Amino acid sequence: MPSDKAKPPPPSLWKAFDEAEFSASNTLNLRESLPTVADARYRAEQWLRERQVSRAGKVLIITGRGNSSPDGVSPVREGVKALFPSLRRRGVVGEWKEHSPGAFVVTLAPISAVLEAPRRKRHPEEHLVKNAPASLEGLEKTTVDLLRRLAQRSLEQLGARTPEKFIEAEMLSTFSALAGGVQPGADGEQRLREAITAALEQLDG
């Protein structure tokens, strides 16, 4: 007598669904390379940060379901899943859900959330500096000008009475927050400017 319990779709059908919904650039397949848990977490975080800067919206992370694991549970899957709450607190991830037994759909937070997250426990006066941060000296003037605008706008939202006193420190903080999602390369600074512009648009929106 046939069972009333529905059978799960075969892996090939899941793959077809994934390819139809997510592009290759918005899919991270950790299952194929068989990374350690630590490597999987590192790769997932760096990739999610890069996708956030690119304003990908929703992305897919494939971890595998752990069929070959001794207890039938994928350590990589559990390790990556445990990473999500931390990334949400840091403004990288908005939400996540299980897409299939071996994959997650992750909704990325807006870029402005990365700038807001560290400030919840600090006041701008705690990071006052007088001189321009040395790490910004190699940036093009256009990039520095955008950073200054974003720092000014961010400090205004914090309610700083004299934001110009704290702009240099805020510029360095903003640069550090956004640079983690920009891949090194010839177009790295252009992508950084795009991220800054997107953050400005979100703050002003």
Side-chain angles (χ1 to χ4, degrees):
M1 185 176 180
S3 171
D4 292 334
K5 186 176 180 180
K7 294 182 179 180
S12 59
L13 187 55
W14 278 120
K15 184 177 180 181
F17 288 155
D18 294 344
E19 290 176 349
E21 185 174 359
F22 299 94
S23 65
S25 62
N26 288 336
T27 301
L28 175 64
N29 192 334
L30 296 170
R31 180 179 57 198
E32 291 182 345
S33 58
L34 300 176
T36 64
V37 174
D39 183 47
R41 286 170 59 92
Y42 175 80
R43 288 173 56 190
E45 176 169 349
Q46 297 305 307
W47 184 77
L48 287 169
R49 287 181 177 277
E50 188 277 327
R51 290 288 82 202
Q52 181 189 36
V53 167
S54 297
R55 289 180 277 180
K58 288 187 178 182
V59 297
L60 179 70
I61 298 182
I62 302 171
T63 62
R65 66 181 70 189
N67 290 340
S68 301
S69 302
D71 56 0
V73 177
S74 167
V76 167
R77 179 185 183 280
E78 296 305 304
V80 171
K81 182 180 179 181
L83 176 67
F84 295 148
S86 172
L87 292 179
R88 179 164 59 185
R89 289 192 297 272
R90 287 179 278 160
V92 178
V93 166
E95 61 182 28
W96 61 92
K97 64 180 180 179
E98 187 177 87
H99 175 67
S100 68
F104 296 97
V105 171
V106 180
T107 301
L108 298 167
I111 297 174
S112 57
V114 174
L115 307 179
E116 295 166 359
R119 301 195 183 100
R120 293 170 185 163
K121 296 183 179 180
R122 69 171 172 87
H123 188 277
E125 292 182 5
E126 297 174 1
H127 294 267
L128 175 63
V129 295
K130 295 182 179 179
N131 299 318
S135 60
L136 302 183
E137 292 178 355
L139 297 177
E140 296 177 10
K141 183 179 183 301
T142 303
T143 308
V144 174
D145 289 345
L146 279 171
L147 273 174
R148 183 173 292 277
R149 283 178 55 199
L150 182 54
Q152 174 84 35
R153 186 69 183 86
S154 299
L155 287 170
E156 288 173 356
Q157 285 206 334
L158 284 176
R161 295 180 180 178
T162 52
E164 57 277 356
K165 293 173 57 180
F166 316 116
I167 285 179
E168 304 295 355
E170 189 66 20
M171 288 171 66
L172 181 58
S173 175
T174 299
F175 171 75
S176 299
L178 296 180
V182 176
Q183 295 294 325
D187 62 344
E189 190 161 346
Q190 174 61 35
R191 290 175 60 78
L192 177 61
R193 286 195 291 268
E194 291 172 359
I196 297 169
T197 301
L200 278 167
E201 292 172 353
Q202 291 166 9
L203 290 176
D204 291 336

